[in-house]
Amino acid sequence: MRSAPRLLVTDLDNTLWDWFEAWHTSFSAMLDALVEQSGVARETLLPEIRAIHQKRGTTEYSYLLNEVPSLIEAAGSAAPLEAYDDAIHALNRARKKSTLLYPGVMETLTDLKGDGVRIVAYTESIAYWTEWRIKHTELDGVIDVLYSAPDHDVPAGVTIEDLRTLDPESYGLKYTEHQSTPIGAFKPNPDVLRSILENEDAKPNEVIYVGDSLMKDIAMAQHIGVTDVHAVYGEAQGRHDYSLLQAVTHWTQADVDREQALRSNCEITPSHTIDEFASLKELLN
């Protein structure tokens, strides 16, 4: 390390928590319940769900069931979100149970803050579920500033507020400042990272960036001269159950082509690697 950092910029999904495990567990629970309750085959549901995810630009679309053609037909006069409420409860139970910080994350971030390091999170995930995960893992206030993508869009005549059934105090972050990244500004986007440093009045040699993606996180950090740390424990692409995410991904063919181009055009060697988040503190010392 060149000097003691003043700012830590960290990715979230598969860096602070295992997003893939939580998504796969909760989505599988919902899908199994939908197949059982509706009688619609899994093979029918998957491509219909993927089409909606691509339209809305996320695999965490809260209004999903009400737009799946086969579920609309099977539900008859009822709205699918009401007819298959048990499937939503199955998803929510699994999400709460499986959304967990990696070992050592809370302790490491708390220690760094105690040392005067400011903590900023930067993610491509949408605002609502990112805020939920931060609150659920008790990182509200541990993270000083969050930069995330805005929320997904919703059908005409429906608002985000229509999807929120809890007390208004249950939503949003109380202590972590939340900033939105520009729409369509996907990683690796050096301009977004550069603007984060400008907002924090930090120079590249005062910053550490940690993330799980070589192409998106590490390449971006290296592009603007920030010290990069690769969270190798977070790579999910090689898991045997990754095929479910591929089957319903919100990625379009253009997204796939972009990813392939990044892979083929970039040979990225991280400056530092860690096999658990707690090792970040050892690395800094």
Side-chain angles (χ1 to χ4, degrees):
M1 293 297 175
R2 291 171 292 183
S3 62
R6 191 169 67 80
L7 178 69
L8 170 67
V9 181
T10 180
D11 177 51
L12 291 176
D13 297 338
N14 296 330
T15 299
L16 299 191
W17 50 65
D18 192 336
W19 177 89
F20 175 77
E21 178 64 24
W23 178 88
H24 187 276
T25 300
S26 57
F27 189 86
S28 296
M30 181 187 72
L31 184 61
D32 291 343
L34 287 173
V35 171
E36 180 179 353
Q37 295 169 25
S38 70
V40 180
R42 179 186 178 100
E43 293 73 20
T44 300
L45 289 174
L46 290 180
E48 292 184 358
I49 290 172
R50 182 177 185 182
I52 296 164
H53 282 169
Q54 290 186 344
K55 180 179 180 180
R56 301 303 178 190
T58 178
T59 53
E60 296 181 292
Y61 180 43
S62 301
Y63 206 67
L64 172 66
L65 269 58
N66 276 3
E67 295 187 31
V68 178
S70 294
L71 294 179
I72 295 173
E73 181 179 356
S77 59
L81 276 171
E82 297 176 0
Y84 307 118
D85 184 61
D86 287 348
I88 297 300
H89 282 298
L91 178 143
N92 288 334
R93 285 194 301 270
R95 176 187 282 133
K96 289 178 181 178
K97 185 176 181 180
S98 57
T99 300
L100 304 169
L101 293 175
Y102 286 118
V105 168
M106 180 64 77
E107 296 82 358
T108 302
L109 293 181
T110 302
D111 286 349
L112 289 174
K113 284 180 70 71
D115 292 340
V117 178
R118 190 163 166 84
I119 311 295
V120 170
Y122 172 27
T123 180
E124 290 182 309
S125 289
I126 59 175
Y128 176 81
W129 287 114
T130 299
E131 288 186 342
W132 181 88
R133 283 186 279 269
I134 287 176
K135 291 177 68 174
H136 179 72
T137 58
E138 301 183 347
L139 288 179
D140 188 7
V142 177
I143 295 172
D144 293 297
V145 187
L146 164 67
Y147 289 83
S148 82
D151 274 321
H152 57 63
D153 61 354
V154 292
V158 178
T159 67
I160 291 294
E161 287 68 29
D162 293 332
L163 304 178
R164 299 184 173 183
T165 58
L166 302 178
D167 184 276
E169 289 295 314
S170 301
Y171 301 99
L173 299 172
K174 296 187 184 308
Y175 307 107
T176 296
E177 179 186 348
H178 191 174
Q179 300 282 345
S180 292
T181 55
I183 295 175
F186 302 112
K187 294 179 181 180
N189 191 318
D191 289 337
V192 173
L193 183 55
R194 192 176 289 112
S195 70
I196 291 173
L197 267 62
E198 291 174 356
N199 291 344
E200 294 294 325
D201 193 26
K203 299 176 182 178
N205 65 355
E206 299 175 315
V207 181
I208 303 296
Y209 186 104
V210 58
D212 67 290
S213 172
L214 286 172
M215 294 175 297
K216 295 181 177 182
D217 296 309
I218 303 308
M220 181 174 58
Q222 291 183 353
H223 186 86
I224 67 170
V226 169
T227 298
D228 60 281
V229 180
H230 183 212
V232 294
Y233 56 85
E235 295 180 326
Q237 290 82 355
R239 300 188 188 183
H240 71 281
D241 45 6
Y242 195 71
S243 59
L244 177 61
L245 181 57
Q246 292 175 315
V248 298
T249 182
H250 64 282
W251 279 19
T252 64
Q253 187 58 47
D255 295 327
V256 173
D257 293 342
R258 172 178 173 270
E259 184 83 355
Q260 290 176 340
L262 287 171
R263 287 182 182 275
S264 61
N265 294 334
C266 296
E267 290 294 333
I268 303 162
T269 301
S271 302
H272 307 276
T273 62
I274 51 175
D275 55 13
E276 60 178 358
F277 193 83
S279 297
L280 183 62
K281 181 70 174 178
E282 301 170 15
L283 186 65
L284 295 179
N285 288 336

